[in-house]
Amino acid sequence: MSTTSPKNLIEAVRYFSDLDVCHAYMISVKWPDGKITCPKCGGDKVGSIASRRMLQCKAKDCRKQFSAKVGTIFEDSPLGLDKWFVAVWCITNAKNGISSCEVARALGVTQKSAWHLLHRVRLAMRTGTFQKMTGTIEADETFVGGKSSNMHKSKREEKITGTGNVDKTAVMGLLQRTTEGAASQVRAGVVPNVKRETLLPIVRDHVEPGAHVYTDSLKSYLGLSPAFDHKTIDHAVSYAEGEVHTNGLENFWALFKRCLKGTYIHVAPKNLDRYVGEETFRFNERKGDDGYRFTQTMKGVIGKRLTYAKLAAGSA
């Protein structure tokens, strides 16, 4: 088996077809310093059970046997890491996402298992940072929901209670424009509404005071000055006035909705935030190659769990 990290899908399938390689790779991800610790007692005297690809604490009062999956999104999954790693590779590198039906056919699992699997990977793709955005920032919002014209009459009467964006889910985003040596970056998430008391705290939490903030003419953004150099563009008049525009975020929304409409078709509002995180990750890591995006996603698998019960209930 080659020790060279895979660069494309066919290489990844071949590389991770060996469960021993998968086990070693998982250990390197979870314990990058090489010091394996017991999840029960925290001890670092840990041995290996090679025949079962398990680990065992050697402390006399512990003797805990555990898998390298413990404490990750893979924990308690009956699927082998050979299937998991290929699924992670596919979702992180599919520009328009990948459906659970397609993953189910490719891996030989049920659609239900594939759906759960993909949401667990989306959880790993969520990245957070305490570093605030600087320079020139675009702020904008969009709405996600089915078109009434595509609904059956009974569904339309059930779900559509008003016009415009009523009954749709709001998503708010911030884009830091391209700077020297760094591509533009996006932060986005589902918000309960687009009122001033909702949007302004988000901008203040994520953007460094003094930055240039460009928005559309939505009145909810009034109040950003004088902490920020806030300028607006009225889309009813023009799409841009020099540097003042939100075209970067409009491009991101177009990519996101192409993913929803073309691949996922129907997304429940309770799960929408993970789909936003998925597209945000791929957008922010677009300058890297497939192997790099896979590695970055694997860094996020630790310390996160999403059980099927929580997923189905919408409580995660």
Side-chain angles (χ1 to χ4, degrees):
M1 177 61 65
S2 172
T3 58
T4 304
S5 297
K7 301 297 183 183
N8 52 53
L9 178 58
I10 190 64
E11 289 183 6
V13 171
R14 290 170 179 163
Y15 186 78
F16 293 121
S17 63
D18 188 334
L19 287 172
D20 290 329
V21 171
C22 294
H23 177 66
Y25 185 84
M26 191 67 246
I27 289 176
S28 70
V29 168
K30 196 167 190 310
W31 297 282
D33 58 357
K35 187 178 292 185
I36 303 173
T37 56
C38 174
K40 183 178 179 181
C41 70
D44 59 1
K45 293 183 178 179
V46 177
S48 175
I49 307 175
S51 61
R52 295 167 51 211
R53 302 183 190 91
M54 294 284 288
L55 303 166
Q56 183 173 24
C57 179
K58 291 186 176 180
K60 290 184 179 179
D61 56 348
C62 183
R63 308 297 289 179
K64 171 75 173 178
Q65 293 186 13
F66 58 96
S67 164
K69 292 180 180 180
V70 69
T72 71
I73 64 169
F74 311 125
E75 186 173 349
D76 291 336
S77 171
L79 296 180
L81 289 175
D82 54 339
K83 292 186 176 182
W84 265 109
F85 289 168
V86 171
V88 172
W89 189 285
C90 287
I91 189 173
T92 55
N93 293 305
K95 185 176 181 180
N96 292 324
I98 185 168
S99 73
S100 57
C101 291
E102 186 172 349
V103 170
R105 290 193 300 270
L107 299 184
V109 299
T110 65
Q111 184 273 334
K112 182 179 175 180
S113 294
W115 181 71
H116 186 201
L117 176 153
L118 289 174
H119 273 293
R120 290 160 92 167
V121 178
R122 291 184 186 105
L123 186 63
M125 294 169 79
R126 278 182 176 173
T127 55
T129 177
F130 293 107
Q131 185 174 358
K132 292 196 172 185
M133 305 174 94
T134 60
T136 301
I137 312 299
E138 298 176 20
D140 194 26
E141 65 293 325
T142 191
F143 292 86
V144 177
K147 289 185 177 181
S148 60
S149 59
N150 292 337
M151 296 180 185
H152 187 275
K153 182 181 178 182
S154 61
K155 285 292 183 182
R156 187 160 57 243
E157 292 174 348
E158 173 188 339
K159 295 186 176 182
I160 305 300
T161 62
T163 59
N165 296 319
V166 175
D167 304 311
K168 295 191 177 185
T169 304
V171 182
M172 192 263 188
L174 297 165
L175 178 142
Q176 178 178 288
R177 287 188 184 171
T178 302
T179 56
E180 187 174 347
S184 57
Q185 297 286 294
V186 165
R187 298 179 192 177
V190 172
V191 291
N193 54 63
V194 292
K195 295 180 179 180
R196 185 177 303 178
E197 56 267 28
T198 299
L199 301 187
L200 293 192
I202 294 175
V203 176
R204 293 175 181 138
D205 288 345
H206 290 274
V207 181
E208 191 73 30
H212 305 287
V213 179
Y214 300 153
T215 70
D216 57 20
S217 55
L218 183 69
K219 292 184 179 180
S220 297
Y221 292 112
L222 295 178
L224 287 175
S225 300
F228 305 95
D229 177 23
H230 178 215
K231 295 180 181 178
T232 64
I233 178 69
D234 187 349
H235 288 157
V237 177
S238 174
Y239 72 92
E241 292 181 2
E243 291 294 312
V244 182
H245 61 78
T246 59
N247 294 342
L249 260 181
E250 295 290 353
N251 172 63
F252 175 77
W253 296 140
L255 293 172
F256 175 54
K257 290 191 174 182
R258 183 183 303 164
C259 174
L260 293 184
K261 295 177 181 178
T263 302
Y264 298 125
I265 313 301
H266 173 76
V267 174
K270 64 184 180 183
N271 296 321
L272 180 60
D273 204 46
R274 280 187 292 276
Y275 289 92
V276 175
E278 173 193 341
E279 187 61 34
T280 300
F281 173 87
R282 277 197 298 263
F283 182 87
N284 290 340
E285 304 296 347
R286 64 194 183 278
K287 295 299 182 180
D289 59 21
D290 289 3
Y292 173 79
R293 280 186 290 272
F294 173 80
T295 302
Q296 291 301 105
T297 302
M298 289 299 296
K299 290 179 180 179
V301 305
I302 302 167
K304 298 175 182 177
R305 284 199 67 192
L306 179 60
T307 64
Y308 189 86
K310 287 185 176 180
L311 176 60
S315 58

